[in-house]
């Protein structure tokens, strides 16, 4: 086996300059989705089992896994559909399955595990770290998009791009759409970049076609695509779409990847889009295992289609189906509530979660007068439960259907001196000052990146105004080159249209870019970035921008220092063997919002988040706020029909199954919407929880007799 692994390690090796991370450390590995695991598996602390010596006793695994988990772990060959209910040990099964495959003699490099978030990859990595001792060199665990980057890094030239391409995020995409629209003389009213960006994404990924879209945007789309290639850039959708195109146009390249990846696993399969499914289907022959739960499919708005489970059954005849229904997270009462709710969905695979943890505490429902009373109830309950049951604040979660619900709850938590962390908001890498510095780095690494060049060409201000930019744009169009190349040509032309001042202003910009080009190679990246920040006088720029508040300027400059410190920490990681600027820039583009912080700063804080953000998490105590018609199910979903209401029900199911021991739900009788106060009706999903599982609470504060009678009447109506 050792020889096979050594030989296989040479297969599909990256070319010079390619960004494939060879590290088992989170910071180094997750950016490109490569997680390289060790070769020792620890089933329980103190008992180590060597993969490389093939010492795993599979009979002993029967004591570690339930029968369904054992079957999923030990069935290696052929197509397998693993339906993994909430809290059923999905990650454990995937981890053990990798161990068993390796123990069976499968080379590390032949295994590809695809998942959806860096957070999920980190969790797998951590589990493996707890189970291993020696490194494996070529085991690939990757997000879909990071795997797409890996493919394009090696082969994008076959599609007409140059090496070292940039990845445009949503901000960059919007800027390119705006620039392209102006060139095509779109009016400001017709250039809704957010709406157009979503349309382009839907067109590119096949969720829409031009027949269902406004045809006036077709030329804009084609010019946008040409702009991406001209600037040697791809957008986020391209990270899946282009590898599919590559494989279809170059069967030899597809064959190379199929030869390498003989065994494929897909986590969170219910969240795959049509394109992600197609990519997996192209790569896989028969040895493919997909793990998912159709009851937790809550991302249709970003392309996820749980019908891929049905597609899998059609495309892989003879596949085995294994259902994991034993829940290791929640009490029997919480699971009975979840089963009661989700059973009302018609388009699902029948399953019933069960637990041997006992029935536990009843589900508590509170019907406050309004959102202020709801917030006070939540804050007071957290204080009481934390004190009475000796729980830490980070063992509580408050789940919201929409971020707009957060303000009164945040105010109540602040007033009660309860520390909390709010998921969402502006990501660190989306703050203006950070975007400015990152844009400099992007232009330094790729001079043809016009979107980022336009962001920084006059930031800080250096006299390059609209008139000069129009001259540069005209020259770039005339010569069919990037803006930077056009600037170089204009500066080299003594008889050109530039005045002496304009030349001086442009030379001040290009000199910074050229001077800092050493950033793309060598060590001390953080030190070079700090020198660049000083070189462009960004502190002086902040002082001029925030003349009335030096404190605000200092705060923003401190954010830049945090960025530099994060670069320093990343490049100094001893397991990071590919610490260059290209790798770093693509790493931060791939990071999702919930990956910006390692979580250390959130210890000891209540978790306030949307239900969507809570997927995959669990907490001893969970509050579901705003269980009202119009919030969950959302008013828009009610209007759009039963299929959308079923997704809202799955969302409520996900919320319920985040709770381990205690679940509290609030449903306001009134809620302020815009400038008006409206009457609220309890969510229909509350009626779907078996009545015997629910304990109702009346408001703690003093109420008028008629209000109390009204509350009691609502309760009687529910249970009649």
């Amino acid at each position: 086996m050792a020889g096979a692994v050594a030989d296989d390690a040479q297969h599909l090796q990256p070319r010079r300059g390619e960004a494939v991370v060879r590290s088992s450390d989170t910071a180094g590995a997750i950016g490109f989705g490569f997680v390289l695991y060790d070769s020792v598996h620890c089933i329980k602390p103190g008992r180590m089992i060597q993969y490389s010596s093939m010492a795993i006793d599979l009979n002993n695994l029967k004591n570690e896994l339930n029968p369904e988990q054992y079957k999923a772990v030990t069935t290696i060959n052929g197509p397998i559909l693993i339906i993994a209910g909430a809290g059923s040990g999905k990650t454990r099964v995937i981890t053990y399955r990798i161990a068993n495959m390796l123990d069976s003699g499968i080379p590390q490099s032949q295994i590809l595990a695809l998942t959806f978030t860096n957070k999920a990859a980190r969790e797998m990595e951590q589990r493996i770290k707890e189970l291993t001792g020696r490194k494996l060199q070529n085991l690939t665990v990757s997000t879909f998009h990071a795997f797409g980057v890996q493919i394009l890094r090696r082969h994008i030239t076959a599609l007409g791009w140059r090496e070292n391409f940039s990845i445009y995020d949503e901000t960059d995409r919007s800027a390119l759409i705006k620039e392209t629209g102006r060139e095509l003389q779109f009016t400001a009213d017709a250039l809704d970049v957010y709406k157009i960006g979503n349309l382009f994404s839907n067109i590119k990924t096949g969720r829409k076609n031009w027949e269902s879209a406004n045809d006036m945007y077709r030329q804009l789309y084609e010019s946008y695509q040409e702009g991406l290639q001209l600037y040697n850039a791809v957008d986020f959708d391209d990270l899946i779409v282009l590898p599919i195109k590559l494989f279809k146009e170059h069967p030899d390249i597809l064959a190379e990847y199929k030869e390498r990846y003989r065994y494929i696993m897909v986590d969170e399969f219910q969240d795959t889009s049509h394109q992600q499914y197609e990519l997996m289907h192209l790569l896989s022959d028969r040895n493919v295992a997909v793990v998912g739960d159709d009851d937790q499919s809550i991302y249709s708005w970003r392309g996820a289609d749980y019908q891929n489970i049905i597609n899998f059954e059609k495309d892989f005849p003879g596949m085995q189906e294994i259902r994991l229904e034993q829940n290791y997270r929640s009490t029997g009462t919480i699971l009975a509530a979840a089963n009661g709710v989700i059973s009302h969905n018609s388009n699902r695979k029948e399953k019933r979660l069960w637990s041997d943890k006992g029935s536990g505490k009843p589900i508590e429902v509170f019907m406050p007068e309004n959102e202020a009373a709801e917030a006070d109830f939540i804050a007071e309950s957290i204080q009481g439960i934390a004190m009475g049951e000796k729980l830490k604040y980070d063992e509580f979660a408050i789940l919201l259907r929409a971020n707009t619900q957060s303000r009164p709850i945040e105010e109540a938590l602040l007033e009660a001196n309860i520390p909390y962390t709010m998921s969402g908001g502006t990501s660190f890498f989306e703050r203006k000052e950070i975007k400015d510095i990152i844009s400099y780095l992007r232009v330094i690494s790729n001079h043809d990146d016009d979107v980022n060049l336009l962001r920084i060409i006059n930031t800080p201000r250096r006299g390059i105004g609209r008139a000069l930019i129009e001259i540069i744009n005209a020259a770039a169009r005339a010569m069919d080159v990037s803006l930077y190349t056009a600037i170089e040509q204009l500066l080299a032309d003594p008889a050109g249209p530039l005045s002496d001042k304009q030349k001086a202003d442009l030379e001040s910009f290009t000199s910074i870019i050229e001077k800092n080009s050493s950033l793309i190679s060598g060590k001390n990246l953080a030190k070079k970035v700090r020198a660049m920040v000083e070189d462009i006088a960004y502190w002086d720029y902040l002082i001029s921008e925030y003349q009335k508040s030096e404190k605000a300027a200092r705060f923003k400059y401190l954010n830049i220092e945090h960025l530099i410190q994060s670069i320093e920490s990343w490049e100094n990681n001893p397991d990071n063997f590919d610490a260059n600027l290209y790798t770093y820039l693509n790493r931060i583009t791939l990071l999702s919002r919930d990956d910006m912080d390692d979580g250390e700063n959130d210890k000891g804080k209540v978790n306030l988040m949307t239900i969507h953000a809570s997927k995959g998490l669990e907490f001893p105590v969970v509050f579901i706020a705003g269980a009202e018609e119009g919030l969950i199910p959302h008013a828009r979903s009610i209007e759009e029909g039963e299929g959308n209401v079923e997704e809202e029900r799955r969302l409520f199911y996900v919320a319920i199954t985040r709770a381990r021991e205690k679940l509290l739900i609030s449903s306001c009788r009134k809620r302020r919407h815009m400038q008006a106060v409206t009457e609220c009706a309890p969510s229909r999903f509350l009626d779907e929880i078996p009545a015997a599982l629910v304990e109702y609470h009346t408001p703690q504060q003093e109420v008028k007799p008629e209000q109390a009678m009204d509350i009691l009447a609502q309760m009687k109506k529910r249970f009649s």
Side-chain angles (χ1 to χ4, degrees), residues 22 27 48 66 106 113 141 162 166 169 192 245 280 294 383 416 478 486 533 547 562 582 615 625 639 687 698 700:
R22 301 200 173 281
M48 306 298 285
N66 67 41
I106 296 171
V141 177
R162 301 184 298 282
S166 297
D169 61 14
D192 184 335
K245 185 172 188 249
M280 178 216 75
D294 53 344
Q383 286 180 318
V533 172
Q547 295 178 8
H562 287 323
Y582 297 122
K615 188 169 180 291
E639 293 173 2
D687 288 324
T698 55
Q700 301 270 326

PDB file of all heavy atoms in Angstrom, residues 22 27 48 66 106 113 141 162 166 169 192 245 280 294 383 416 478 486 533 547 562 582 615 625 639 687 698 700:
ATOM      1  N   ARG A  22      -0.955  22.655   0.885  1.00  0.00           N
ATOM      2  CA  ARG A  22      -0.497  21.388   1.456  1.00  0.00           C
ATOM      3  C   ARG A  22      -0.322  21.585   2.954  1.00  0.00           C
ATOM      4  O   ARG A  22       0.765  21.783   3.455  1.00  0.00           O
ATOM      5  CB  ARG A  22       0.805  20.946   0.809  1.00  0.00           C
ATOM      6  CG  ARG A  22       0.644  20.768  -0.695  1.00  0.00           C
ATOM      7  CD  ARG A  22       1.737  19.901  -1.270  1.00  0.00           C
ATOM      8  NE  ARG A  22       1.476  19.614  -2.657  1.00  0.00           N
ATOM      9  CZ  ARG A  22       0.633  18.708  -3.082  1.00  0.00           C
ATOM     10  NH1 ARG A  22      -0.041  17.998  -2.216  1.00  0.00           N
ATOM     11  NH2 ARG A  22       0.431  18.512  -4.363  1.00  0.00           N
ATOM     12  N   ALA A  27      -6.190  27.451   8.782  1.00  0.00           N
ATOM     13  CA  ALA A  27      -5.947  28.705   8.066  1.00  0.00           C
ATOM     14  C   ALA A  27      -5.335  28.452   6.705  1.00  0.00           C
ATOM     15  O   ALA A  27      -5.663  29.103   5.730  1.00  0.00           O
ATOM     16  CB  ALA A  27      -5.046  29.611   8.902  1.00  0.00           C
ATOM     17  N   MET A  48      -5.554   4.289  19.838  1.00  0.00           N
ATOM     18  CA  MET A  48      -5.166   4.711  18.495  1.00  0.00           C
ATOM     19  C   MET A  48      -5.166   3.517  17.547  1.00  0.00           C
ATOM     20  O   MET A  48      -4.717   2.428  17.899  1.00  0.00           O
ATOM     21  CB  MET A  48      -3.768   5.332  18.519  1.00  0.00           C
ATOM     22  CG  MET A  48      -3.612   6.458  19.525  1.00  0.00           C
ATOM     23  SD  MET A  48      -4.688   7.855  19.172  1.00  0.00           S
ATOM     24  CE  MET A  48      -3.832   8.563  17.778  1.00  0.00           C
ATOM     25  N   ASN A  66     -23.993   2.824  15.353  1.00  0.00           N
ATOM     26  CA  ASN A  66     -25.255   2.089  15.318  1.00  0.00           C
ATOM     27  C   ASN A  66     -25.329   1.300  14.010  1.00  0.00           C
ATOM     28  O   ASN A  66     -24.520   1.529  13.093  1.00  0.00           O
ATOM     29  CB  ASN A  66     -26.452   3.022  15.518  1.00  0.00           C
ATOM     30  CG  ASN A  66     -26.676   3.997  14.374  1.00  0.00           C
ATOM     31  OD1 ASN A  66     -26.555   3.643  13.203  1.00  0.00           O
ATOM     32  ND2 ASN A  66     -27.010   5.245  14.714  1.00  0.00           N
ATOM     33  N   ILE A 106      -7.388   1.772  -0.316  1.00  0.00           N
ATOM     34  CA  ILE A 106      -7.631   2.797  -1.337  1.00  0.00           C
ATOM     35  C   ILE A 106      -6.621   3.926  -1.150  1.00  0.00           C
ATOM     36  O   ILE A 106      -6.516   4.483  -0.056  1.00  0.00           O
ATOM     37  CB  ILE A 106      -9.069   3.334  -1.227  1.00  0.00           C
ATOM     38  CG1 ILE A 106     -10.072   2.215  -1.531  1.00  0.00           C
ATOM     39  CG2 ILE A 106      -9.281   4.519  -2.171  1.00  0.00           C
ATOM     40  CD1 ILE A 106     -11.499   2.586  -1.232  1.00  0.00           C
ATOM     41  N   ALA A 113     -13.824  14.313  -1.232  1.00  0.00           N
ATOM     42  CA  ALA A 113     -15.005  14.617  -0.413  1.00  0.00           C
ATOM     43  C   ALA A 113     -15.376  16.076  -0.631  1.00  0.00           C
ATOM     44  O   ALA A 113     -14.561  16.969  -0.413  1.00  0.00           O
ATOM     45  CB  ALA A 113     -14.717  14.346   1.063  1.00  0.00           C
ATOM     46  N   VAL A 141     -10.367  17.055   0.729  1.00  0.00           N
ATOM     47  CA  VAL A 141     -11.668  17.455   1.252  1.00  0.00           C
ATOM     48  C   VAL A 141     -11.836  18.917   0.895  1.00  0.00           C
ATOM     49  O   VAL A 141     -11.026  19.748   1.271  1.00  0.00           O
ATOM     50  CB  VAL A 141     -11.769  17.260   2.777  1.00  0.00           C
ATOM     51  CG1 VAL A 141     -13.108  17.760   3.297  1.00  0.00           C
ATOM     52  CG2 VAL A 141     -11.579  15.796   3.131  1.00  0.00           C
ATOM     53  N   ARG A 162      -5.849  33.584 -19.005  1.00  0.00           N
ATOM     54  CA  ARG A 162      -4.433  33.465 -18.671  1.00  0.00           C
ATOM     55  C   ARG A 162      -4.299  32.923 -17.253  1.00  0.00           C
ATOM     56  O   ARG A 162      -5.262  32.887 -16.490  1.00  0.00           O
ATOM     57  CB  ARG A 162      -3.737  34.832 -18.782  1.00  0.00           C
ATOM     58  CG  ARG A 162      -3.842  35.442 -20.173  1.00  0.00           C
ATOM     59  CD  ARG A 162      -3.074  36.744 -20.281  1.00  0.00           C
ATOM     60  NE  ARG A 162      -3.565  37.773 -19.379  1.00  0.00           N
ATOM     61  CZ  ARG A 162      -4.651  38.500 -19.595  1.00  0.00           C
ATOM     62  NH1 ARG A 162      -5.403  38.295 -20.682  1.00  0.00           N
ATOM     63  NH2 ARG A 162      -5.027  39.429 -18.748  1.00  0.00           N
ATOM     64  N   SER A 166      -8.092  36.468 -11.476  1.00  0.00           N
ATOM     65  CA  SER A 166      -8.733  36.991 -10.268  1.00  0.00           C
ATOM     66  C   SER A 166     -10.131  36.401 -10.134  1.00  0.00           C
ATOM     67  O   SER A 166     -10.765  36.046 -11.128  1.00  0.00           O
ATOM     68  CB  SER A 166      -8.844  38.519 -10.334  1.00  0.00           C
ATOM     69  OG  SER A 166      -7.569  39.115 -10.370  1.00  0.00           O
ATOM     70  N   ASP A 169     -15.741  39.020  -6.456  1.00  0.00           N
ATOM     71  CA  ASP A 169     -16.846  38.839  -5.529  1.00  0.00           C
ATOM     72  C   ASP A 169     -18.028  39.668  -6.008  1.00  0.00           C
ATOM     73  O   ASP A 169     -18.004  40.251  -7.094  1.00  0.00           O
ATOM     74  CB  ASP A 169     -16.431  39.203  -4.092  1.00  0.00           C
ATOM     75  CG  ASP A 169     -15.992  40.655  -3.953  1.00  0.00           C
ATOM     76  OD1 ASP A 169     -16.243  41.458  -4.874  1.00  0.00           O
ATOM     77  OD2 ASP A 169     -15.385  40.983  -2.920  1.00  0.00           O
ATOM     78  N   ASP A 192     -29.912  48.608 -12.729  1.00  0.00           N
ATOM     79  CA  ASP A 192     -30.022  48.114 -11.354  1.00  0.00           C
ATOM     80  C   ASP A 192     -29.034  46.955 -11.212  1.00  0.00           C
ATOM     81  O   ASP A 192     -29.352  45.806 -11.542  1.00  0.00           O
ATOM     82  CB  ASP A 192     -31.451  47.665 -11.068  1.00  0.00           C
ATOM     83  CG  ASP A 192     -31.672  47.215  -9.622  1.00  0.00           C
ATOM     84  OD1 ASP A 192     -30.687  46.805  -8.973  1.00  0.00           O
ATOM     85  OD2 ASP A 192     -32.819  47.267  -9.155  1.00  0.00           O
ATOM     86  N   LYS A 245     -17.725  23.219 -18.221  1.00  0.00           N
ATOM     87  CA  LYS A 245     -17.419  23.530 -19.632  1.00  0.00           C
ATOM     88  C   LYS A 245     -16.099  22.889 -20.036  1.00  0.00           C
ATOM     89  O   LYS A 245     -15.970  22.313 -21.123  1.00  0.00           O
ATOM     90  CB  LYS A 245     -17.359  25.051 -19.801  1.00  0.00           C
ATOM     91  CG  LYS A 245     -17.157  25.523 -21.238  1.00  0.00           C
ATOM     92  CD  LYS A 245     -17.308  27.039 -21.310  1.00  0.00           C
ATOM     93  CE  LYS A 245     -17.307  27.478 -22.768  1.00  0.00           C
ATOM     94  NZ  LYS A 245     -16.145  28.208 -23.170  1.00  0.00           N
ATOM     95  N   MET A 280     -20.449  16.781 -10.165  1.00  0.00           N
ATOM     96  CA  MET A 280     -20.253  15.506  -9.480  1.00  0.00           C
ATOM     97  C   MET A 280     -20.541  14.335 -10.413  1.00  0.00           C
ATOM     98  O   MET A 280     -19.799  13.346 -10.451  1.00  0.00           O
ATOM     99  CB  MET A 280     -21.169  15.442  -8.259  1.00  0.00           C
ATOM    100  CG  MET A 280     -21.097  14.128  -7.490  1.00  0.00           C
ATOM    101  SD  MET A 280     -22.701  13.602  -6.820  1.00  0.00           S
ATOM    102  CE  MET A 280     -23.535  13.017  -8.287  1.00  0.00           C
ATOM    103  N   ASP A 294     -33.403  15.650   2.877  1.00  0.00           N
ATOM    104  CA  ASP A 294     -34.327  16.513   2.146  1.00  0.00           C
ATOM    105  C   ASP A 294     -35.146  17.401   3.078  1.00  0.00           C
ATOM    106  O   ASP A 294     -35.610  18.474   2.682  1.00  0.00           O
ATOM    107  CB  ASP A 294     -35.252  15.687   1.249  1.00  0.00           C
ATOM    108  CG  ASP A 294     -35.972  14.571   1.994  1.00  0.00           C
ATOM    109  OD1 ASP A 294     -35.544  14.224   3.115  1.00  0.00           O
ATOM    110  OD2 ASP A 294     -36.964  14.048   1.457  1.00  0.00           O
ATOM    111  N   GLN A 383     -31.435  35.095  31.437  1.00  0.00           N
ATOM    112  CA  GLN A 383     -30.843  35.333  32.760  1.00  0.00           C
ATOM    113  C   GLN A 383     -31.289  34.281  33.760  1.00  0.00           C
ATOM    114  O   GLN A 383     -30.476  33.734  34.514  1.00  0.00           O
ATOM    115  CB  GLN A 383     -31.226  36.729  33.250  1.00  0.00           C
ATOM    116  CG  GLN A 383     -30.494  37.863  32.555  1.00  0.00           C
ATOM    117  CD  GLN A 383     -30.915  39.224  33.068  1.00  0.00           C
ATOM    118  OE1 GLN A 383     -32.095  39.475  33.296  1.00  0.00           O
ATOM    119  NE2 GLN A 383     -29.952  40.126  33.247  1.00  0.00           N
ATOM    120  N   ALA A 416     -29.946  44.396  29.611  1.00  0.00           N
ATOM    121  CA  ALA A 416     -29.776  43.374  30.650  1.00  0.00           C
ATOM    122  C   ALA A 416     -28.312  42.998  30.856  1.00  0.00           C
ATOM    123  O   ALA A 416     -28.013  42.082  31.629  1.00  0.00           O
ATOM    124  CB  ALA A 416     -30.588  42.133  30.287  1.00  0.00           C
ATOM    125  N   ALA A 478      -9.980  51.387 -27.762  1.00  0.00           N
ATOM    126  CA  ALA A 478      -9.390  51.509 -29.104  1.00  0.00           C
ATOM    127  C   ALA A 478      -8.313  50.458 -29.345  1.00  0.00           C
ATOM    128  O   ALA A 478      -8.198  49.908 -30.454  1.00  0.00           O
ATOM    129  CB  ALA A 478      -8.814  52.914 -29.285  1.00  0.00           C
ATOM    130  N   ALA A 486      -3.361  50.321 -21.175  1.00  0.00           N
ATOM    131  CA  ALA A 486      -3.648  51.592 -21.849  1.00  0.00           C
ATOM    132  C   ALA A 486      -2.894  52.741 -21.191  1.00  0.00           C
ATOM    133  O   ALA A 486      -2.363  53.628 -21.883  1.00  0.00           O
ATOM    134  CB  ALA A 486      -5.155  51.857 -21.825  1.00  0.00           C
ATOM    135  N   VAL A 533       0.852  50.260   2.578  1.00  0.00           N
ATOM    136  CA  VAL A 533      -0.161  51.128   3.194  1.00  0.00           C
ATOM    137  C   VAL A 533       0.452  52.479   3.547  1.00  0.00           C
ATOM    138  O   VAL A 533      -0.164  53.536   3.346  1.00  0.00           O
ATOM    139  CB  VAL A 533      -0.772  50.450   4.435  1.00  0.00           C
ATOM    140  CG1 VAL A 533      -1.678  51.419   5.191  1.00  0.00           C
ATOM    141  CG2 VAL A 533      -1.553  49.200   4.032  1.00  0.00           C
ATOM    142  N   GLN A 547     -12.577  64.293   8.843  1.00  0.00           N
ATOM    143  CA  GLN A 547     -12.029  65.477   9.518  1.00  0.00           C
ATOM    144  C   GLN A 547     -12.730  65.761  10.844  1.00  0.00           C
ATOM    145  O   GLN A 547     -12.127  66.291  11.771  1.00  0.00           O
ATOM    146  CB  GLN A 547     -12.138  66.690   8.598  1.00  0.00           C
ATOM    147  CG  GLN A 547     -11.288  66.578   7.341  1.00  0.00           C
ATOM    148  CD  GLN A 547     -11.460  67.769   6.417  1.00  0.00           C
ATOM    149  OE1 GLN A 547     -12.095  68.760   6.777  1.00  0.00           O
ATOM    150  NE2 GLN A 547     -10.880  67.690   5.226  1.00  0.00           N
ATOM    151  N   HIS A 562      -5.455  45.035  11.654  1.00  0.00           N
ATOM    152  CA  HIS A 562      -5.967  43.672  11.888  1.00  0.00           C
ATOM    153  C   HIS A 562      -5.785  42.814  10.637  1.00  0.00           C
ATOM    154  O   HIS A 562      -5.447  41.624  10.724  1.00  0.00           O
ATOM    155  CB  HIS A 562      -7.443  43.714  12.272  1.00  0.00           C
ATOM    156  CG  HIS A 562      -7.697  44.217  13.660  1.00  0.00           C
ATOM    157  ND1 HIS A 562      -6.870  43.931  14.717  1.00  0.00           N
ATOM    158  CD2 HIS A 562      -8.702  44.982  14.163  1.00  0.00           C
ATOM    159  CE1 HIS A 562      -7.335  44.512  15.820  1.00  0.00           C
ATOM    160  NE2 HIS A 562      -8.453  45.156  15.507  1.00  0.00           N
ATOM    161  N   TYR A 582      -0.987  35.401  -4.512  1.00  0.00           N
ATOM    162  CA  TYR A 582      -2.072  34.808  -5.284  1.00  0.00           C
ATOM    163  C   TYR A 582      -2.931  33.906  -4.400  1.00  0.00           C
ATOM    164  O   TYR A 582      -4.160  33.955  -4.428  1.00  0.00           O
ATOM    165  CB  TYR A 582      -1.517  33.986  -6.455  1.00  0.00           C
ATOM    166  CG  TYR A 582      -0.749  34.785  -7.473  1.00  0.00           C
ATOM    167  CD1 TYR A 582       0.567  34.477  -7.776  1.00  0.00           C
ATOM    168  CD2 TYR A 582      -1.349  35.853  -8.144  1.00  0.00           C
ATOM    169  CE1 TYR A 582       1.283  35.207  -8.711  1.00  0.00           C
ATOM    170  CE2 TYR A 582      -0.642  36.588  -9.083  1.00  0.00           C
ATOM    171  CZ  TYR A 582       0.672  36.257  -9.359  1.00  0.00           C
ATOM    172  OH  TYR A 582       1.371  36.987 -10.285  1.00  0.00           O
ATOM    173  N   LYS A 615     -28.015  26.607  10.606  1.00  0.00           N
ATOM    174  CA  LYS A 615     -27.977  25.236  10.098  1.00  0.00           C
ATOM    175  C   LYS A 615     -26.618  24.601  10.373  1.00  0.00           C
ATOM    176  O   LYS A 615     -25.579  25.201  10.125  1.00  0.00           O
ATOM    177  CB  LYS A 615     -28.267  25.220   8.602  1.00  0.00           C
ATOM    178  CG  LYS A 615     -28.434  23.820   8.032  1.00  0.00           C
ATOM    179  CD  LYS A 615     -28.990  23.887   6.621  1.00  0.00           C
ATOM    180  CE  LYS A 615     -29.148  22.500   6.044  1.00  0.00           C
ATOM    181  NZ  LYS A 615     -27.860  21.861   5.774  1.00  0.00           N
ATOM    182  N   ALA A 625     -37.819  33.196  17.795  1.00  0.00           N
ATOM    183  CA  ALA A 625     -38.569  34.441  17.955  1.00  0.00           C
ATOM    184  C   ALA A 625     -39.417  34.722  16.723  1.00  0.00           C
ATOM    185  O   ALA A 625     -38.993  34.454  15.593  1.00  0.00           O
ATOM    186  CB  ALA A 625     -37.611  35.608  18.202  1.00  0.00           C
ATOM    187  N   GLU A 639     -47.585  33.794  -0.576  1.00  0.00           N
ATOM    188  CA  GLU A 639     -48.097  34.284  -1.861  1.00  0.00           C
ATOM    189  C   GLU A 639     -47.652  33.396  -3.016  1.00  0.00           C
ATOM    190  O   GLU A 639     -48.390  33.202  -3.985  1.00  0.00           O
ATOM    191  CB  GLU A 639     -47.612  35.717  -2.104  1.00  0.00           C
ATOM    192  CG  GLU A 639     -48.196  36.749  -1.146  1.00  0.00           C
ATOM    193  CD  GLU A 639     -47.544  38.116  -1.314  1.00  0.00           C
ATOM    194  OE1 GLU A 639     -46.664  38.243  -2.199  1.00  0.00           O
ATOM    195  OE2 GLU A 639     -47.895  39.039  -0.564  1.00  0.00           O
ATOM    196  N   ASP A 687     -49.404  25.090  15.223  1.00  0.00           N
ATOM    197  CA  ASP A 687     -50.526  24.155  15.279  1.00  0.00           C
ATOM    198  C   ASP A 687     -50.105  22.739  14.909  1.00  0.00           C
ATOM    199  O   ASP A 687     -50.818  21.779  15.230  1.00  0.00           O
ATOM    200  CB  ASP A 687     -51.641  24.610  14.333  1.00  0.00           C
ATOM    201  CG  ASP A 687     -52.370  25.833  14.855  1.00  0.00           C
ATOM    202  OD1 ASP A 687     -52.537  25.932  16.079  1.00  0.00           O
ATOM    203  OD2 ASP A 687     -52.749  26.692  14.041  1.00  0.00           O
ATOM    204  N   THR A 698     -48.140  32.871  29.943  1.00  0.00           N
ATOM    205  CA  THR A 698     -48.736  34.197  29.814  1.00  0.00           C
ATOM    206  C   THR A 698     -47.660  35.227  30.096  1.00  0.00           C
ATOM    207  O   THR A 698     -46.652  34.920  30.735  1.00  0.00           O
ATOM    208  CB  THR A 698     -49.897  34.375  30.806  1.00  0.00           C
ATOM    209  OG1 THR A 698     -49.415  34.100  32.124  1.00  0.00           O
ATOM    210  CG2 THR A 698     -51.037  33.434  30.466  1.00  0.00           C
ATOM    211  N   GLN A 700     -45.247  37.991  31.656  1.00  0.00           N
ATOM    212  CA  GLN A 700     -44.827  38.216  33.038  1.00  0.00           C
ATOM    213  C   GLN A 700     -45.344  39.551  33.562  1.00  0.00           C
ATOM    214  O   GLN A 700     -45.660  39.685  34.724  1.00  0.00           O
ATOM    215  CB  GLN A 700     -43.292  38.223  33.107  1.00  0.00           C
ATOM    216  CG  GLN A 700     -42.649  36.933  32.616  1.00  0.00           C
ATOM    217  CD  GLN A 700     -42.468  35.929  33.732  1.00  0.00           C
ATOM    218  OE1 GLN A 700     -42.218  36.318  34.861  1.00  0.00           O
ATOM    219  NE2 GLN A 700     -42.603  34.652  33.426  1.00  0.00           N
TER     220      GLN A 700
END
